[in-house]
Amino acid sequence: MSVSMRDLDPAFQGAGQKAGIEVWRIENFKPVPVPQSSYGKFFTGDSYLILKTIALKSGALRHDIHYWLGKDTSQDEAGAAALKTVELDAALGGRAVQYREVQGHETERFLSYFKPCIIPQEGGTASGFKHVESEEHKIRMFTCQGKHVVHVKEVPFARSSLNHDDIFVLDTANKIFQFNGSNSSIQERAKALEVVQHIKDTYHDGKCDIATVEDGKLMSDAETGEFWGFFGGFAPLPRKTTTDDVKSAVALPTQLFRVEKGQAEPVSAGTLTKELLDTNKCYLLDCGDEIYLWMGRSTSLDERKAASGAAEEYLRSQDRLKSQIIRVIENFETVSFRSKFDAWPQSAEVAVSEDGRGKVAALLKRQGVNVRGLLKAAPEKEEPQPYIDCTGNLQVWRVNGQEKILLPVPDQSKFYGGDCYIFQYNYPGEDQDECLIGTWFGKKSVEEERSSATSHANKMVESLKFMASQLQVYEGSEPSLFFAIFQSFLVLKGGLSDGYKTFISENELSDDTYKEDRVALFRVQGSGPENMQAIQVEPVASSLNSSYCYILHSGSSVFTWIGNLRTPEVEELVERQLDVIKPNMQAKLQKEGSESEQFWEILGGKSEYPSQKIARDAESDPHLFSCTFTKGELKVIEIYNFNQDDLMTEDIFILDCHSSIFVWVGQQVDQKLKTQALVIGEKFVKHDFLLEKLTVQTPIYIISEGSEPEFFTRFFTWDSTKSAMHGNSFQRKLSILKNGGRPTLSNKPKRRTPGAHVGRSATNEKPQRARSVSFSPERVRVRGRSPAFNALASAFENPSARNLSTPPPQVRKPYPKSDSSNVAPRSTAIASLTSTFEQPPREPLMPRSIKPRPKSPPKAESNSKENIMSSKIETLTIQEDVKENEVEDEEGLTLYPYERLITVSTDPAADIDVTKRETYLSSAEFREKFGMTKEAFYKLPKWKQNKLKMALQLF
């Protein structure tokens, strides 16, 4: 579509450059920007254009355009709004979805922009109306409908307007009443309270009383009596009458029309297929309540305007002016549009052409308009994070038939592809102790044992009163969180379970279960010592990949193969995985392109192999769905522009991030339905409501209300006190409303320990982190290893063989707690510290968390300098239970040069904490090496600190 400057209205210059909402009102058939302070205020006699710009994770900007028509707007003004919408889309590059919104029949997407509701006011501009300005408060009554967004409509202030099915808000001078029809749902009542709050803030400056009235409640209640007093006393309510606004549309067969010269002509076709759509044409698809206008990429701006006019005329000819019109552009069709066609072809992600947008940007740039945002949003480059504390306690069971067998610590991270596993991970959360119970299904595991694993996991969650989160994982589709929990993860071929052995026996298959004396090839992958995996693959050359490193062993020969496109981090991980798989043998280095004949001979000869890294599903922009599950049938409704308040305690919701699915279960959900949460998640994945090519292996999380972990709450602006409240949605909202907008809790949430557990080791000490070393092919692999590595490696080691790896050095804290055996005389300490205390206080170089201590009773004043210094010395005493992320002041710390602190130093510093090597650097050398101060460094996330330390050989 070609665009010239004369085709674009000047009011659209610079539109859609950043995320947010922009609004224009049609005045004299021209768009006029509306001030941001007036967003959400609409007049019944006007027409408006609303642009919603969303910044996607990919860095691109997505646009949705709505044109809103008041019930009293003129036909000419409505037509102008429709045409200006096409112009605005052209200014944005011609790929926005455009929605026609009619007052009282708005889409939920549109209403979500102006939460909690819109209440159009009488009046208008171009239509000749005057905006009504009330001098005194007028009693008004509104009906509220909707569980997720609220459709508010003003109704006559009369008893005849009330009924048992809806919720009504009566706005009087000094009090706002909410009348809950006996047939209304709890969720609708809760959402209506948001409307009450909006009316209170907007029309009463937040100063009026609020009362709720239940349908059928006796007059003995004072507020109920006051409510009915406005209607002349209580009387039975009439039955709800069906009006034109709420009449259900007659089901019409879906029909396709081709738009030719402003006229809609039927297209005869047995079934709807994409091949019927010509890129040089525009088409109407009549689906009853919705009418889609599809515009080919090669159509001109004038053709699109003519097609828009034809769609409006089509509605008028059928007296369906309240129906929705949704305009879509070729290659940017919505999910709902594609779902109307039979077998819409699945295609790769469309490469968005910048041609139209670039031309518009060039025109605007000549006029001095900043067009950076119009061309492309800045991509957000963030490394994946696990969003879970990785210092918790882990238990793992292998499923064998209907039993589960607890694995010893050395085998916890060693899985077989033919088996199923259950794990329980307990860890400290932000507000309380958290628990995650998960299942892992190997690619060749049998269905009976998968069902058994799921059953055991469900019972474990039920035994914890649904306070634990749950995760279902398939081999090859593990989320980063799973790898972060296991840290060093090994997947072996074959299986140990009876189910696997029976399966291969019945099907006369060879047993390829891993044996140390057989030929085995492992692909090494990961991002660091706390996230590394070794995956056993077929021992053939085609299994190699230039983006990875590999370990190959056959008998007494061990090789490491280094791909040319691997990252330095992966190359180091090979050394660490060798400590696990073959700790007693020296490996022969094989660089890609210079392999030995013996290496190729073991793999059966050379062959072609890939070079691109194995793609994993990336996390996409999240979508929230409300679920209804009845008689095995799942129905979902998408919640747009969602927030925490959209999660109703009576319902089940699904958060779809493409790479993972989260099923959130409210506290008030029926107990039987809670047990089917995983089934609901599996049905959602199978149905693929967003047509995003979900696979049955997509990880599924089950999240219980009140126990939401950080890896779920990160998608919201989260207030944990809201999820800890008691009562149904209506009771909670009413409590917040009457408490001035703040959640109220009878008791502060306590830290929760879901159940007794055994840690990664037999002791309760925090597990020592694995340490990083620099790799050199010439040197022998002799190094200290963490207890976790020693435990896992012990399963592979020959007890009679000599272990080349040295035991880990003794770890000492940089600030050991003083005792009477090594403390200098008090007078000496006072003398050495006096000058320090007399100086003005300074900020510590590194942040620390200080635990509050109980105040001591007041002591008699003393002029003794020794007593004063003694108390100050006591404040400097370092507690031995300092958390890993707590850092002490540098006073008294011995400093060493960088060369003596690195892991490969020829003259290593003695008596240091090898997990905090960087603390022994001077401030100047720390800034030189890390490019930042110590204070800035310790404000970084732990995973980022470790990555920087790895790069400097300090980890």
Side-chain angles (χ1 to χ4, degrees):
M1 179 183 66
S2 60
V3 180
S4 63
M5 201 64 210
R6 61 183 175 81
D7 296 323
L8 304 178
D9 196 291
F12 299 143
Q13 291 184 7
Q17 295 192 43
K18 59 182 180 180
I21 294 177
E22 296 169 76
V23 182
W24 296 263
R25 181 168 59 200
I26 301 298
E27 298 181 8
N28 296 322
F29 310 111
K30 295 289 185 181
V32 176
V34 173
Q36 191 169 353
S37 59
S38 296
Y39 286 3
K41 182 185 292 186
F42 297 91
F43 291 93
T44 61
D46 289 335
S47 297
Y48 296 81
L49 269 63
I50 297 91
L51 169 64
K52 173 67 173 179
T53 303
I54 301 172
L56 303 177
K57 280 183 175 291
S58 62
L61 294 177
R62 194 194 78 195
H63 299 100
D64 290 318
I65 307 173
H66 305 255
Y67 61 104
W68 184 88
L69 309 177
K71 65 182 181 66
D72 298 319
T73 190
S74 67
Q75 181 175 325
D76 290 341
E77 197 173 68
L83 295 179
K84 290 301 178 183
T85 301
V86 179
E87 287 186 24
L88 177 57
D89 171 55
L92 297 169
R95 61 184 69 119
V97 181
Q98 305 156 50
Y99 300 85
R100 178 180 187 265
E101 309 283 354
V102 178
Q103 180 182 342
H105 300 269
E106 296 88 352
T107 62
E108 292 198 354
R109 183 190 297 271
F110 175 81
L111 292 176
S112 71
Y113 305 154
F114 306 102
K115 290 182 179 180
C117 64
I118 61 171
I119 303 179
Q121 302 178 41
E122 294 293 330
T125 301
S127 56
F129 288 86
K130 293 183 179 179
H131 295 162
V132 179
E133 300 292 343
S134 301
E135 296 181 0
E136 60 181 27
H137 189 86
K138 175 186 175 183
I139 296 179
R140 299 184 299 170
M141 191 161 70
F142 306 91
T143 180
C144 301
Q145 297 176 337
K147 289 175 55 176
H148 310 298
V149 294
V150 188
H151 293 263
V152 178
K153 178 183 178 183
E154 187 170 358
V155 296
F157 169 43
R159 182 190 289 110
S160 58
S161 296
L162 300 172
N163 61 62
H164 298 293
D165 299 317
D166 296 327
I167 298 168
F168 296 84
V169 175
L170 181 64
D171 179 20
T172 69
N174 300 313
K175 185 177 285 189
I176 303 174
F177 296 87
Q178 176 172 318
F179 175 83
N180 298 322
S182 57
N183 297 331
S184 62
S185 68
I186 294 295
Q187 298 93 321
E188 287 180 308
R189 299 177 187 187
K191 279 296 178 183
L193 280 175
E194 297 179 6
V195 177
V196 171
Q197 179 72 60
H198 173 73
I199 294 174
K200 177 182 177 180
D201 295 338
T202 305
Y203 301 105
H204 297 268
D205 296 325
K207 300 174 183 177
C208 73
D209 295 329
I210 291 173
T212 59
V213 178
E214 297 298 324
D215 184 10
K217 198 168 186 180
L218 299 178
M219 294 284 291
S220 57
D221 180 84
E223 290 181 336
T224 301
E226 185 180 359
F227 172 79
W228 287 112
F230 285 98
F231 299 93
F234 175 80
L237 296 182
R239 290 194 175 189
K240 182 177 181 180
T241 58
T242 304
T243 63
D244 292 338
D245 290 342
V246 296
K247 283 181 181 177
S248 57
V250 178
L252 298 174
T254 301
Q255 192 170 3
L256 183 66
F257 298 86
R258 183 189 302 108
V259 179
E260 294 279 3
K261 298 180 180 180
Q263 299 295 322
E265 300 178 357
V267 175
S268 57
T271 58
L272 289 178
T273 61
K274 187 182 178 183
E275 288 69 26
L276 295 173
L277 306 176
D278 184 351
T279 187
N280 299 299
K281 306 285 184 180
C282 294
Y283 294 83
L284 276 178
L285 183 65
D286 187 351
C287 304
D289 283 344
E290 297 175 330
I291 292 180
Y292 292 91
L293 175 58
W294 185 89
M295 296 178 278
R297 292 293 293 172
S298 300
T299 55
S300 66
L301 180 60
D302 288 338
E303 287 174 324
R304 295 184 183 185
K305 286 183 176 182
S308 298
E312 296 282 346
E313 182 60 35
Y314 178 79
L315 288 184
R316 280 193 292 270
S317 66
Q318 299 201 3
D319 195 21
R320 293 163 55 191
L321 291 177
K322 293 172 183 176
S323 295
Q324 298 172 3
I325 297 178
I326 302 174
R327 306 173 189 161
V328 295
I329 309 297
E330 182 182 3
N331 293 336
F332 299 94
E333 296 88 354
T334 63
V335 171
S336 58
F337 177 82
R338 285 183 282 150
S339 66
K340 308 297 182 184
F341 288 75
D342 291 345
W344 187 278
Q346 293 280 5
S347 58
E349 198 68 29
V350 177
V352 177
S353 169
E354 293 293 332
D355 181 58
R357 184 182 288 252
K359 290 180 180 179
V360 173
L363 292 170
L364 297 179
K365 191 173 182 180
R366 295 174 195 159
Q367 299 190 1
V369 177
N370 183 356
V371 296
R372 286 184 299 172
L374 182 63
L375 284 171
K376 191 175 183 180
E380 191 174 307
K381 294 183 179 179
E382 284 189 2
E383 297 183 29
Q385 300 180 43
Y387 296 101
I388 195 170
D389 187 295
C390 299
T391 62
N393 299 300
L394 178 67
Q395 280 183 292
V396 182
W397 295 264
R398 179 171 55 80
V399 175
N400 190 44
Q402 298 302 314
E403 301 177 342
K404 60 185 178 78
I405 303 170
L406 181 65
L407 298 182
V409 173
D411 294 336
Q412 283 186 348
S413 298
K414 184 174 68 174
F415 285 17
Y416 287 84
D419 293 339
C420 297
Y421 296 82
I422 305 168
F423 65 90
Q424 178 172 337
Y425 183 61
N426 299 284
Y427 61 97
E430 184 175 349
D431 298 314
Q432 56 197 4
D433 291 341
E434 306 286 358
C435 177
L436 176 63
I437 294 174
T439 53
W440 183 91
F441 300 150
K443 288 182 178 179
K444 295 188 177 181
S445 59
V446 296
E447 188 60 39
E448 293 80 1
E449 292 188 334
R450 293 184 182 184
S451 300
S452 176
T454 301
S455 176
H456 282 295
N458 289 342
K459 290 176 181 177
M460 293 168 69
V461 173
E462 289 182 42
S463 68
L464 297 175
K465 299 180 179 179
F466 297 96
M467 296 169 67
S469 300
Q470 193 172 348
L471 170 62
Q472 178 176 282
V473 177
Y474 285 84
E475 179 187 350
S477 300
E478 299 90 348
S480 59
L481 175 144
F482 176 87
F483 288 140
I485 292 174
F486 283 86
Q487 299 183 6
S488 177
F489 190 64
L490 186 64
V491 179
L492 303 172
K493 281 183 168 294
L496 306 178
S497 69
D498 293 341
Y500 173 76
K501 292 179 179 178
T502 300
F503 176 80
I504 62 173
S505 174
E506 291 178 348
N507 291 273
E508 299 181 353
L509 301 174
S510 60
D511 187 357
D512 59 353
T513 302
Y514 173 80
K515 302 291 183 183
E516 290 187 14
D517 56 351
R518 293 182 181 177
V519 177
L521 179 66
F522 293 87
R523 182 180 70 245
V524 178
Q525 61 191 37
S527 60
E530 296 178 358
N531 178 0
M532 57 181 180
Q533 305 90 46
I535 313 297
Q536 187 179 0
V537 296
E538 290 294 329
V540 293
S542 59
S543 296
L544 299 176
N545 187 312
S546 302
S547 295
Y548 296 94
C549 297
Y550 290 79
I551 296 172
L552 173 67
H553 72 73
S554 175
S556 60
S557 300
V558 180
F559 300 87
T560 58
W561 187 84
I562 312 299
N564 290 334
L565 303 179
R566 90 291 180 193
T567 61
E569 291 83 1
V570 173
E571 186 173 353
E572 180 181 332
L573 298 184
V574 171
E575 286 291 289
R576 293 183 174 274
Q577 292 293 4
L578 275 172
D579 279 343
V580 175
I581 299 173
K582 286 292 181 180
N584 305 318
M585 303 181 68
Q586 196 65 35
K588 301 175 184 178
L589 176 65
Q590 307 285 306
K591 292 187 176 181
E592 183 178 6
S594 58
E595 299 88 349
S596 66
E597 290 296 330
Q598 183 186 6
F599 175 83
W600 291 119
E601 183 179 343
I602 294 174
L603 292 179
K606 295 183 180 181
S607 69
E608 295 291 327
Y609 54 83
S611 60
Q612 290 189 343
K613 202 167 185 178
I614 299 173
R616 298 183 67 89
D617 285 340
E619 184 176 279
S620 65
D621 297 276
H623 295 259
L624 183 68
F625 297 86
S626 172
C627 301
T628 303
F629 189 60
T630 308
K631 296 180 179 180
E633 183 180 0
L634 177 64
K635 295 181 179 180
V636 300
I637 298 175
E638 184 167 2
I639 313 299
Y640 303 102
N641 298 292
F642 61 84
N643 56 39
Q644 182 184 354
D645 290 335
D646 290 313
L647 300 175
M648 296 288 194
T649 186
E650 296 80 15
D651 294 330
I652 292 179
F653 291 83
I654 289 182
L655 189 70
D656 179 3
C657 307
H658 182 67
S659 60
S660 298
I661 300 297
F662 297 83
V663 182
W664 183 90
V665 184
Q667 291 179 358
Q668 302 285 325
V669 170
D670 179 75
Q671 202 72 9
K672 290 184 179 179
L673 193 56
K674 283 184 179 181
T675 62
Q676 294 185 296
L678 186 58
V679 175
I680 292 174
E682 291 174 335
K683 283 188 174 292
F684 180 90
V685 170
K686 184 178 180 180
H687 195 285
D688 194 12
F689 288 94
L690 291 179
L691 305 180
E692 54 182 329
K693 305 179 189 176
L694 289 179
T695 66
V696 294
Q697 288 82 27
T698 302
I700 300 175
Y701 295 86
I702 310 298
I703 309 295
S704 296
E705 183 184 14
S707 303
E708 293 90 348
E710 183 188 359
F711 55 80
F712 174 78
T713 60
R714 65 189 176 95
F715 297 103
F716 303 80
T717 301
W718 196 261
D719 183 351
S720 57
T721 57
K722 288 184 177 180
S723 61
M725 294 180 71
H726 299 291
N728 60 40
S729 298
F730 174 71
Q731 293 167 338
R732 296 182 189 187
K733 285 281 177 69
L734 185 60
S735 175
I736 294 174
L737 186 59
K738 291 188 174 181
N739 194 43
R742 298 183 301 277
T744 55
L745 295 176
S746 56
N747 294 307
K748 185 178 179 180
K750 297 180 180 179
R751 289 184 66 83
R752 180 180 74 259
T753 304
H757 49 261
V758 178
R760 294 178 185 271
S761 61
T763 67
N764 291 327
E765 297 177 0
K766 177 180 287 189
Q768 179 185 350
R769 291 296 187 182
R771 294 187 300 280
S772 139
V773 293
S774 178
F775 168 67
S776 172
E778 288 76 26
R779 69 179 181 87
V780 179
R781 291 185 293 109
V782 179
R783 66 179 64 80
R785 298 186 300 181
S786 71
F789 273 103
N790 285 324
L792 185 59
S794 66
F796 291 85
E797 293 178 4
N798 183 352
S800 62
R802 180 175 64 90
N803 190 345
L804 297 179
S805 295
T806 60
Q810 182 180 1
V811 178
R812 300 184 181 180
K813 292 181 178 294
Y815 303 91
K817 186 175 182 179
S818 301
D819 55 34
S820 58
S821 64
N822 58 11
V823 175
R826 180 172 292 183
S827 58
T828 305
I830 294 173
S832 63
L833 292 173
T834 299
S835 59
T836 301
F837 288 134
E838 291 177 348
Q839 294 176 356
R842 67 187 179 91
E843 292 292 323
L845 292 178
M846 295 173 286
R848 62 177 295 187
S849 301
I850 302 177
K851 298 180 180 179
R853 299 183 180 180
K855 295 183 179 179
S856 303
K859 298 180 180 180
E861 292 186 5
S862 172
N863 293 328
S864 170
K865 186 174 184 180
E866 180 173 321
N867 287 341
I868 297 174
M869 294 300 105
S870 175
S871 65
K872 293 186 176 181
I873 290 174
E874 289 178 1
T875 64
L876 293 178
T877 301
I878 306 302
Q879 301 296 319
E880 289 194 0
D881 62 348
V882 174
K883 293 182 179 178
E884 188 176 357
N885 63 343
E886 293 178 340
V887 185
E888 315 303 334
D889 189 33
E890 284 192 328
E891 296 295 340
L893 180 65
T894 303
L895 302 179
Y896 294 95
Y898 170 75
E899 290 72 18
R900 296 192 63 189
L901 293 174
I902 57 178
T903 56
V904 294
S905 174
T906 56
D907 181 23
D911 297 334
I912 65 170
D913 184 344
V914 294
T915 66
K916 297 182 178 179
R917 297 175 184 269
E918 76 284 354
T919 60
Y920 300 92
L921 290 171
S922 67
S923 298
E925 193 166 20
F926 188 98
R927 183 189 289 271
E928 176 188 349
K929 297 296 182 182
F930 285 88
M932 65 184 76
T933 64
K934 290 186 179 181
E935 183 178 9
F937 174 79
Y938 286 104
K939 288 181 179 179
L940 297 174
K942 191 67 178 176
W943 63 272
K944 190 168 285 188
Q945 294 179 24
N946 291 342
K947 190 154 190 176
L948 292 173
K949 288 160 64 174
M950 283 177 57
L952 293 171
Q953 299 179 334
L954 291 172
F955 189 81

